[in-house]
Amino acid sequence: MAEMTLAEKVGQMFVLQVNGDTATTTNPTDVAANQALYGSDVRNGAELLAKYHPGGIIYFNATNNLNNPQQVALLSNGLQRAALADHGVPVQISTDQEGGFVTRIPPPSAIAPGNMAIGATFDRDVSFSTAAATGRQLRAMGINMDHAPVVDVNTNPRNTADGTRAFSDRTATVSAFGAAAVLGYQGGGVAATAKHFPGLGDAEANPDTGIAIVDETREEILRTHIPPFRAAIAAGVKSIMPTAVIVPALDPSGTPAILSRPIVTGLLRDTLRYDGVVVTDALRADALAGIPQDEVILAAIRAGNDELLLPADPPAAIATVIDAVRTGTVSRHRIDQSVYRILRMKAELGLFDDPFTTSEAVDSTVGTPADQQIMADAARRSITLLRNQAGVLPLPANSRRHVLVTGWGASAVPSLATQLSAKGLVATPMWTGSPDQQTIRQVVAAATASDVTVVLTNNAWGDVNQQNLVKALLATDTPVVTVAVGGPYDIAYLPSAPTFLAAYGYRDVSLAAVADTLVGAEPTGRLPVTVRTPDGTRVLYPYGSGIGYQGSAPGGSEPSGQPGR
């Protein structure tokens, strides 16, 4: 720190995106995107690091960073070489590899089925093993921070920010599974990020796309939503991410948590005694759009955040902080506090010793049969059978029965059809998305010519078109199997569906588990949440619900296994 300039220190506090599949890309599209964001003299990641010295780079699919494991490793190494050549400090490289539908690294890496699916196994060891597999793969590709796990308690079934990203709607379960995930990621050499502080589970809107408000009392929040963060801290989590949720009970001013000193410093730093890195959620989120960027940036620092993630205008944001220090608006001591935490974390991750990876590490670590099996086992154990009233399941494998696979999921529908065809059924895909009446009529006609229909839903509780499709299919003489590939809450809106599976995800790893279950693998998953009637007044399926093919419950009532190793 003594050798760093003010610009280098301030740069450490920013986590930015960069377009390109290499650190020195000359791809015209990527170059143009970088120049639009950072200026004409920044064409690629190497030039970004040389000019603005950001402490972190975050990878996305949309920025052409994540095409295949070997390419990711080369990009990571190129960025590290550029950072070390600039000022000798290795760069933090992060992504959002939560598993389930928030998955950035594509196959052939082994992909976890997602938190709610893992919660449905009722075995916190599964949380550890899937996170450990993810962590070691990321580190082999040169990624040293994962913005995971989500430790929100999904108390609001209509939550559009979390849903299947959450382990459960029970505080104790989320605490145990979240702590296990932290240990798993960090055992693989990757800093974990517990998010979204102080908890998004009771909100409906996603701060990325709207205004999210939690109206619970302070006592409710401290009792329900804060313990998972305490558990993550006890497990040694290296970073925590506040988000732009408004929590009046914690900050009566209505300031979003991400910018709130009472929440970030008062609650997280002082009450919970957390001294690790605090990284903001995206500062370009829609929830912050009405606040001038310079106010957002300075408020985030005053609140107690160390890393400023994805400001809307990075050059202007960096200049705002440098000017604030030079004019005394922000003290050098305050900057040094954050830079110290950031550098300490990088040292703890071994980045000062060796931030690089190798082609051999990628080949030997990413997508190994052992890790693929870990993820497949997790998904298989998650599948939850809630209804089999007509005895339609299991379907006989190798029977050549004609199965129509339809409903939500432009890739999920054909993927499941392919899986079922490989098991000796004649499966026809017919994707509908959120269907209009004409599409529903076409699907009904196809269903009447089939032996059985498998219809996928995803958060149909908020989509009457999906509900109408299922109801129309149920009116045919063809047996119907409903599979929820989002949250399990859809069953409350489909009371007449006699056969219902909860899969908690639509990645191939979950769809393969669905296919296995449809043709006879015993469903052993159980609900990690409570499903109520649409008006919330009555419990339909309590926490722990789930039946086997003989109609009996899989057994047990609380998560098993130990989060420690």
Side-chain angles (χ1 to χ4, degrees):
M1 287 180 63
E3 299 173 354
M4 296 173 73
T5 66
L6 175 60
E8 289 169 345
K9 287 181 178 180
V10 170
Q12 283 296 304
M13 297 179 67
F14 283 86
V15 180
L16 306 178
Q17 70 182 57
V18 66
N19 295 270
D21 58 354
T22 70
T24 55
T25 184
T26 57
N27 177 287
T29 300
D30 293 327
V31 168
N34 289 325
Q35 290 174 326
L37 197 54
Y38 299 112
S40 60
D41 55 344
V42 175
R43 296 169 295 178
N44 51 48
E47 292 177 354
L48 171 64
L49 287 160
K51 183 173 183 179
Y52 291 111
H53 327 292
I57 298 292
I58 182 169
Y59 288 169
F60 293 104
N61 305 97
T63 50
N64 193 28
N65 302 143
L66 301 170
N67 299 321
N68 62 74
Q70 290 288 357
Q71 170 268 317
V72 175
L74 288 172
L75 172 60
S76 300
N77 283 345
L79 292 173
Q80 294 294 3
R81 281 192 295 271
L84 295 178
D86 174 46
H87 57 288
V89 178
V91 65
Q92 169 190 303
I93 299 176
S94 60
T95 196
D96 299 284
Q97 190 76 355
E98 298 174 12
F101 80 85
V102 180
T103 294
R104 308 292 191 217
I105 311 290
S109 61
I111 297 170
N115 283 356
M116 193 170 284
I118 291 167
T121 70
F122 271 59
D123 184 352
R124 70 193 73 173
D125 283 350
V126 175
S127 184
F128 176 90
S129 62
T130 51
T134 299
R136 56 179 165 259
Q137 292 180 95
L138 292 178
R139 190 61 189 256
M141 289 179 273
I143 297 169
N144 48 58
M145 175 181 277
D146 193 3
H147 292 308
V150 171
V151 294
D152 298 329
V153 183
N154 198 65
T155 52
N156 184 352
R158 301 183 71 85
N159 188 322
T160 57
D162 288 325
T164 56
R165 298 169 71 192
F167 289 109
S168 175
D169 63 3
R170 290 203 173 186
T171 299
T173 300
V174 175
S175 297
F177 279 66
V182 167
L183 293 171
Y185 289 125
Q186 295 188 172
V190 168
T193 307
K195 63 186 187 184
H196 307 83
F197 192 81
L200 259 180
D202 193 57
E204 286 196 15
N206 187 331
D208 287 341
T209 55
I211 304 298
I213 302 174
V214 168
D215 284 323
E216 292 180 310
T217 67
R218 183 179 183 89
E219 291 71 26
E220 288 172 330
I221 293 165
L222 294 178
R223 181 176 64 249
T224 303
H225 301 285
I226 296 303
F229 291 97
R230 287 188 185 273
I233 292 168
V237 71
K238 293 191 181 299
S239 66
I240 290 178
M241 177 180 285
T243 193
V245 64
I246 295 172
V247 191
L250 299 181
D251 186 342
S253 72
T255 300
I258 200 172
L259 308 181
S260 169
R261 186 169 178 83
I263 293 175
V264 178
T265 293
L267 180 55
L268 181 56
R269 294 286 193 205
D270 296 342
T271 301
L272 301 187
R273 301 294 180 188
Y274 182 64
D275 190 44
V277 171
V278 177
V279 52
T280 70
D281 208 341
L283 293 176
R284 64 188 184 193
D286 285 355
L288 303 175
I291 306 172
Q293 181 184 251
D294 59 342
E295 294 181 22
V296 168
I297 297 300
L298 296 181
I301 294 173
R302 293 191 188 104
N305 295 282
D306 299 309
E307 293 187 335
L308 309 176
L309 175 67
L310 297 174
D313 183 344
I318 292 169
T320 292
V321 180
I322 292 174
D323 289 346
V325 175
R326 287 176 174 161
T327 61
T329 304
V330 174
S331 71
R332 290 179 181 266
H333 173 69
R334 173 65 190 87
I335 300 300
D336 286 349
Q337 284 179 313
S338 289
V339 175
Y340 177 81
R341 292 189 188 105
I342 294 164
L343 297 184
R344 180 183 62 190
M345 181 182 68
K346 291 180 177 182
E348 290 169 349
L349 292 170
L351 301 184
F352 284 96
D353 299 323
D354 182 10
F356 299 103
T357 187
T358 65
S359 176
E360 292 75 20
V362 173
D363 285 339
S364 64
T365 307
V366 178
T368 64
D371 283 347
Q372 299 284 8
Q373 192 62 51
I374 286 171
M375 306 309 197
D377 288 345
R380 175 184 53 78
R381 294 176 61 186
S382 76
I383 305 301
T384 306
L385 180 62
L386 292 175
R387 288 185 194 147
N388 195 24
Q389 296 167 353
V392 172
L393 297 180
L395 304 174
N398 300 311
S399 63
R400 308 301 296 170
R401 292 182 71 183
H402 288 260
V403 180
L404 175 67
V405 182
T406 189
W408 184 92
S411 60
V413 165
S415 177
L416 181 58
T418 299
Q419 296 271 2
L420 291 175
S421 294
K423 297 182 182 301
L425 302 173
V426 180
T428 302
M430 195 169 182
W431 167 70
T432 66
S434 179
D436 57 22
Q437 285 300 317
Q438 180 179 351
T439 301
I440 290 174
R441 286 192 292 269
Q442 293 171 342
V443 172
V444 166
T448 59
S450 303
D451 297 315
V452 65
T453 298
V454 176
V455 56
L456 307 187
T457 67
N458 184 12
N459 297 343
W461 54 261
D463 185 351
V464 69
N465 293 332
Q466 290 188 58
Q467 297 175 35
N468 289 339
L469 172 64
V470 176
K471 291 171 184 175
L473 289 169
L474 292 173
T476 69
D477 293 329
T478 304
V480 176
V481 178
T482 304
V483 180
V485 296
Y489 307 105
D490 291 0
I491 195 170
Y493 295 77
L494 302 169
S496 60
T499 312
F500 193 98
L501 279 173
Y504 313 100
Y506 51 81
R507 297 290 181 184
D508 284 345
V509 66
S510 291
L511 296 175
V514 168
D516 287 343
T517 304
L518 290 176
V519 299
E522 187 68 15
T524 60
R526 288 178 289 147
L527 281 181
V529 297
T530 298
V531 176
R532 297 178 178 272
T533 53
D535 62 7
T537 60
R538 185 166 57 88
V539 172
L540 290 176
Y541 291 90
Y543 174 91
S545 294
I547 59 174
Y549 278 139
Q550 304 309 311
S552 59
S557 60
E558 294 298 332
S560 64
Q562 296 299 320
R565 281 296 189 279

